[in-house]
mmCIF file of all heavy atoms in Angstrom:
data_model
loop_
_atom_site.group_PDB
_atom_site.id
_atom_site.type_symbol
_atom_site.label_atom_id
_atom_site.label_comp_id
_atom_site.label_asym_id
_atom_site.label_seq_id
_atom_site.Cartn_x
_atom_site.Cartn_y
_atom_site.Cartn_z
ATOM 1 N N ALA A 1 65.047 -34.045 142.204
ATOM 2 C CA ALA A 1 65.902 -34.377 143.345
ATOM 3 C C ALA A 1 65.349 -35.565 144.121
ATOM 4 O O ALA A 1 66.114 -36.415 144.600
ATOM 5 C CB ALA A 1 66.035 -33.171 144.271
ATOM 6 N N LEU A 2 64.012 -35.656 144.229
ATOM 7 C CA LEU A 2 63.412 -36.721 145.021
ATOM 8 C C LEU A 2 63.476 -38.077 144.319
ATOM 9 O O LEU A 2 63.599 -39.105 144.974
ATOM 10 C CB LEU A 2 61.968 -36.359 145.370
ATOM 11 C CG LEU A 2 61.818 -35.161 146.321
ATOM 12 C CD1 LEU A 2 60.345 -34.818 146.521
ATOM 13 C CD2 LEU A 2 62.489 -35.433 147.660
ATOM 14 N N VAL A 3 63.389 -38.096 142.989
ATOM 15 C CA VAL A 3 63.478 -39.388 142.304
ATOM 16 C C VAL A 3 64.921 -39.844 142.142
ATOM 17 O O VAL A 3 65.174 -41.007 141.825
ATOM 18 C CB VAL A 3 62.761 -39.374 140.929
ATOM 19 C CG1 VAL A 3 61.310 -38.985 141.073
ATOM 20 C CG2 VAL A 3 63.475 -38.468 139.940
ATOM 21 N N THR A 4 65.859 -38.948 142.379
ATOM 22 C CA THR A 4 67.263 -39.350 142.289
ATOM 23 C C THR A 4 67.876 -39.623 143.660
ATOM 24 O O THR A 4 68.880 -40.329 143.761
ATOM 25 C CB THR A 4 68.110 -38.274 141.576
ATOM 26 O OG1 THR A 4 67.921 -37.008 142.227
ATOM 27 C CG2 THR A 4 67.690 -38.158 140.124
ATOM 28 N N LYS A 5 67.244 -39.094 144.732
ATOM 29 C CA LYS A 5 67.833 -39.268 146.065
ATOM 30 C C LYS A 5 66.872 -39.867 147.090
ATOM 31 O O LYS A 5 67.307 -40.456 148.069
ATOM 32 C CB LYS A 5 68.325 -37.910 146.580
ATOM 33 C CG LYS A 5 69.421 -37.292 145.737
ATOM 34 C CD LYS A 5 69.835 -35.934 146.284
ATOM 35 C CE LYS A 5 70.915 -35.299 145.417
ATOM 36 N NZ LYS A 5 71.307 -33.952 145.915
ATOM 37 N N SER A 6 65.568 -39.682 146.914
ATOM 38 C CA SER A 6 64.557 -40.175 147.862
ATOM 39 C C SER A 6 64.701 -39.560 149.249
ATOM 40 O O SER A 6 64.161 -40.072 150.219
ATOM 41 C CB SER A 6 64.584 -41.707 147.992
ATOM 42 O OG SER A 6 63.913 -42.308 146.905
ATOM 43 N N GLU A 7 65.418 -38.461 149.363
ATOM 44 C CA GLU A 7 65.608 -37.836 150.671
ATOM 45 C C GLU A 7 64.314 -37.163 151.131
ATOM 46 O O GLU A 7 63.615 -36.519 150.351
ATOM 47 C CB GLU A 7 66.745 -36.810 150.599
ATOM 48 C CG GLU A 7 68.105 -37.448 150.345
ATOM 49 C CD GLU A 7 69.214 -36.424 150.232
ATOM 50 O OE1 GLU A 7 68.897 -35.217 150.274
ATOM 51 O OE2 GLU A 7 70.382 -36.825 150.080
ATOM 52 N N GLY A 8 64.005 -37.304 152.412
ATOM 53 C CA GLY A 8 62.831 -36.647 152.974
ATOM 54 C C GLY A 8 61.529 -37.355 152.687
ATOM 55 O O GLY A 8 60.460 -36.823 152.996
ATOM 56 N N LEU A 9 61.576 -38.548 152.125
ATOM 57 C CA LEU A 9 60.348 -39.283 151.795
ATOM 58 C C LEU A 9 60.093 -40.309 152.894
ATOM 59 O O LEU A 9 60.619 -41.411 152.861
ATOM 60 C CB LEU A 9 60.475 -39.957 150.429
ATOM 61 C CG LEU A 9 60.742 -39.021 149.248
ATOM 62 C CD1 LEU A 9 60.739 -39.800 147.936
ATOM 63 C CD2 LEU A 9 59.712 -37.911 149.182
ATOM 64 N N GLU A 10 59.273 -39.913 153.840
ATOM 65 C CA GLU A 10 59.017 -40.763 155.006
ATOM 66 C C GLU A 10 57.685 -41.493 154.920
ATOM 67 O O GLU A 10 57.363 -42.284 155.795
ATOM 68 C CB GLU A 10 59.058 -39.905 156.278
ATOM 69 C CG GLU A 10 60.361 -39.152 156.484
ATOM 70 C CD GLU A 10 61.571 -40.065 156.562
ATOM 71 O OE1 GLU A 10 61.409 -41.215 157.027
ATOM 72 O OE2 GLU A 10 62.671 -39.634 156.140
ATOM 73 N N ARG A 11 56.884 -41.202 153.876
ATOM 74 C CA ARG A 11 55.553 -41.809 153.774
ATOM 75 C C ARG A 11 55.420 -42.551 152.442
ATOM 76 O O ARG A 11 54.517 -42.293 151.654
ATOM 77 C CB ARG A 11 54.466 -40.740 153.912
ATOM 78 C CG ARG A 11 54.497 -39.981 155.238
ATOM 79 C CD ARG A 11 53.362 -38.979 155.312
ATOM 80 N NE ARG A 11 53.470 -37.969 154.268
ATOM 81 C CZ ARG A 11 52.509 -37.107 153.954
ATOM 82 N NH1 ARG A 11 51.352 -37.155 154.596
ATOM 83 N NH2 ARG A 11 52.694 -36.210 153.004
ATOM 84 N N SER A 12 56.313 -43.477 152.204
ATOM 85 C CA SER A 12 56.329 -44.193 150.937
ATOM 86 C C SER A 12 55.051 -45.013 150.734
ATOM 87 O O SER A 12 54.615 -45.733 151.637
ATOM 88 C CB SER A 12 57.540 -45.127 150.873
ATOM 89 O OG SER A 12 57.541 -45.877 149.681
ATOM 90 N N VAL A 13 54.474 -44.901 149.543
ATOM 91 C CA VAL A 13 53.303 -45.713 149.196
ATOM 92 C C VAL A 13 53.535 -46.528 147.920
ATOM 93 O O VAL A 13 52.681 -47.313 147.511
ATOM 94 C CB VAL A 13 52.034 -44.850 149.033
ATOM 95 C CG1 VAL A 13 51.559 -44.346 150.393
ATOM 96 C CG2 VAL A 13 52.268 -43.685 148.072
ATOM 97 N N ALA A 14 54.692 -46.352 147.291
ATOM 98 C CA ALA A 14 55.071 -47.117 146.093
ATOM 99 C C ALA A 14 56.513 -46.766 145.772
ATOM 100 O O ALA A 14 57.092 -45.856 146.368
ATOM 101 C CB ALA A 14 54.156 -46.795 144.914
ATOM 102 N N MET A 15 57.066 -47.494 144.808
ATOM 103 C CA MET A 15 58.429 -47.220 144.374
ATOM 104 C C MET A 15 58.499 -47.084 142.864
ATOM 105 O O MET A 15 57.695 -47.681 142.126
ATOM 106 C CB MET A 15 59.371 -48.339 144.824
ATOM 107 C CG MET A 15 59.474 -48.508 146.333
ATOM 108 S SD MET A 15 60.846 -49.590 146.788
ATOM 109 C CE MET A 15 62.238 -48.504 146.458
ATOM 110 N N GLY A 16 59.448 -46.290 142.412
ATOM 111 C CA GLY A 16 59.732 -46.157 140.993
ATOM 112 C C GLY A 16 61.179 -46.514 140.722
ATOM 113 O O GLY A 16 62.001 -46.509 141.635
ATOM 114 N N ALA A 17 61.499 -46.813 139.461
ATOM 115 C CA ALA A 17 62.877 -47.176 139.130
ATOM 116 C C ALA A 17 63.253 -46.828 137.695
ATOM 117 O O ALA A 17 64.426 -46.910 137.331
ATOM 118 C CB ALA A 17 63.099 -48.680 139.365
ATOM 119 N N TYR A 18 62.289 -46.462 136.871
ATOM 120 C CA TYR A 18 62.584 -46.174 135.469
ATOM 121 C C TYR A 18 63.293 -44.825 135.361
ATOM 122 O O TYR A 18 63.133 -43.943 136.205
ATOM 123 C CB TYR A 18 61.294 -46.156 134.656
ATOM 124 C CG TYR A 18 61.507 -46.355 133.176
ATOM 125 C CD1 TYR A 18 61.871 -47.601 132.676
ATOM 126 C CD2 TYR A 18 61.343 -45.308 132.273
ATOM 127 C CE1 TYR A 18 62.066 -47.803 131.318
ATOM 128 C CE2 TYR A 18 61.535 -45.493 130.912
ATOM 129 C CZ TYR A 18 61.902 -46.738 130.441
ATOM 130 O OH TYR A 18 62.098 -46.931 129.100
ATOM 131 N N GLY A 19 64.060 -44.658 134.322
ATOM 132 C CA GLY A 19 64.761 -43.398 134.116
ATOM 133 C C GLY A 19 63.810 -42.235 133.908
ATOM 134 O O GLY A 19 62.635 -42.416 133.600
ATOM 135 N N MET A 20 64.314 -41.031 134.103
ATOM 136 C CA MET A 20 63.520 -39.830 133.817
ATOM 137 C C MET A 20 63.398 -39.718 132.305
ATOM 138 O O MET A 20 64.382 -39.450 131.614
ATOM 139 C CB MET A 20 64.186 -38.602 134.451
ATOM 140 C CG MET A 20 64.097 -38.612 135.966
ATOM 141 S SD MET A 20 64.994 -37.251 136.753
ATOM 142 C CE MET A 20 66.694 -37.839 136.553
ATOM 143 N N ASP A 21 62.201 -39.912 131.808
ATOM 144 C CA ASP A 21 61.969 -40.144 130.379
ATOM 145 C C ASP A 21 60.898 -39.201 129.857
ATOM 146 O O ASP A 21 59.731 -39.316 130.215
ATOM 147 C CB ASP A 21 61.545 -41.607 130.181
ATOM 148 C CG ASP A 21 61.225 -41.930 128.720
ATOM 149 O OD1 ASP A 21 61.729 -41.229 127.839
ATOM 150 O OD2 ASP A 21 60.457 -42.882 128.486
ATOM 151 N N SER A 22 61.309 -38.275 129.040
ATOM 152 C CA SER A 22 60.349 -37.418 128.341
ATOM 153 C C SER A 22 60.559 -37.589 126.851
ATOM 154 O O SER A 22 61.685 -37.448 126.352
ATOM 155 C CB SER A 22 60.538 -35.947 128.716
ATOM 156 O OG SER A 22 59.728 -35.116 127.899
ATOM 157 N N HIS A 23 59.496 -37.891 126.145
ATOM 158 C CA HIS A 23 59.581 -37.891 124.678
ATOM 159 C C HIS A 23 59.647 -36.451 124.182
ATOM 160 O O HIS A 23 59.371 -35.500 124.914
ATOM 161 C CB HIS A 23 58.377 -38.612 124.085
ATOM 162 C CG HIS A 23 58.485 -40.100 124.167
ATOM 163 N ND1 HIS A 23 58.299 -40.932 123.087
ATOM 164 C CD2 HIS A 23 58.774 -40.921 125.207
ATOM 165 C CE1 HIS A 23 58.459 -42.185 123.451
ATOM 166 N NE2 HIS A 23 58.753 -42.206 124.742
ATOM 167 N N ASN A 24 60.033 -36.303 122.933
ATOM 168 C CA ASN A 24 60.066 -34.970 122.347
ATOM 169 C C ASN A 24 58.694 -34.315 122.431
ATOM 170 O O ASN A 24 57.660 -35.002 122.429
ATOM 171 C CB ASN A 24 60.513 -35.042 120.888
ATOM 172 C CG ASN A 24 62.013 -35.264 120.750
ATOM 173 O OD1 ASN A 24 62.811 -34.508 121.293
ATOM 174 N ND2 ASN A 24 62.409 -36.312 120.035
ATOM 175 N N VAL A 25 58.695 -32.993 122.499
ATOM 176 C CA VAL A 25 57.424 -32.267 122.566
ATOM 177 C C VAL A 25 57.156 -31.432 121.322
ATOM 178 O O VAL A 25 56.029 -30.999 121.096
ATOM 179 C CB VAL A 25 57.361 -31.361 123.817
ATOM 180 C CG1 VAL A 25 57.581 -32.154 125.084
ATOM 181 C CG2 VAL A 25 58.344 -30.209 123.735
ATOM 182 N N GLN A 26 58.186 -31.182 120.505
ATOM 183 C CA GLN A 26 57.970 -30.332 119.339
ATOM 184 C C GLN A 26 59.091 -30.506 118.325
ATOM 185 O O GLN A 26 60.148 -31.063 118.617
ATOM 186 C CB GLN A 26 57.922 -28.858 119.762
ATOM 187 C CG GLN A 26 59.232 -28.361 120.354
ATOM 188 C CD GLN A 26 59.284 -26.856 120.526
ATOM 189 O OE1 GLN A 26 58.705 -26.095 119.740
ATOM 190 N NE2 GLN A 26 59.978 -26.400 121.561
ATOM 191 N N ARG A 27 58.825 -29.994 117.112
ATOM 192 C CA ARG A 27 59.858 -29.800 116.090
ATOM 193 C C ARG A 27 59.963 -28.305 115.823
ATOM 194 O O ARG A 27 58.948 -27.597 115.797
ATOM 195 C CB ARG A 27 59.524 -30.541 114.798
ATOM 196 C CG ARG A 27 59.627 -32.045 114.929
ATOM 197 C CD ARG A 27 59.638 -32.758 113.583
ATOM 198 N NE ARG A 27 59.897 -34.166 113.808
ATOM 199 C CZ ARG A 27 58.964 -35.116 113.811
ATOM 200 N NH1 ARG A 27 57.701 -34.801 113.562
ATOM 201 N NH2 ARG A 27 59.279 -36.363 114.057
ATOM 202 N N HIS A 28 61.189 -27.840 115.611
ATOM 203 C CA HIS A 28 61.379 -26.405 115.387
ATOM 204 C C HIS A 28 62.584 -26.200 114.476
ATOM 205 O O HIS A 28 63.368 -27.131 114.228
ATOM 206 C CB HIS A 28 61.593 -25.679 116.722
ATOM 207 C CG HIS A 28 62.884 -26.028 117.398
ATOM 208 N ND1 HIS A 28 64.015 -25.237 117.325
ATOM 209 C CD2 HIS A 28 63.239 -27.095 118.170
ATOM 210 C CE1 HIS A 28 64.993 -25.796 118.011
ATOM 211 N NE2 HIS A 28 64.555 -26.930 118.534
#
């Protein structure tokens, strides 16, 4: 929620912009 809305973040020390990215973790 915070990386998509930034709501409630009053103490910013950096910014992000890349998509939420997880590589695969397993084969099944």
Side-chain angles (χ1 to χ4, degrees):
L2 293 176
V3 303
T4 54
K5 297 179 181 178
S6 280
E7 293 178 356
L9 301 184
E10 303 301 330
R11 300 182 298 168
S12 177
V13 288
M15 298 192 73
Y18 200 72
M20 290 175 285
D21 178 24
S22 172
H23 282 231
N24 284 305
V25 304
Q26 64 169 327
R27 290 194 173 101
H28 68 99

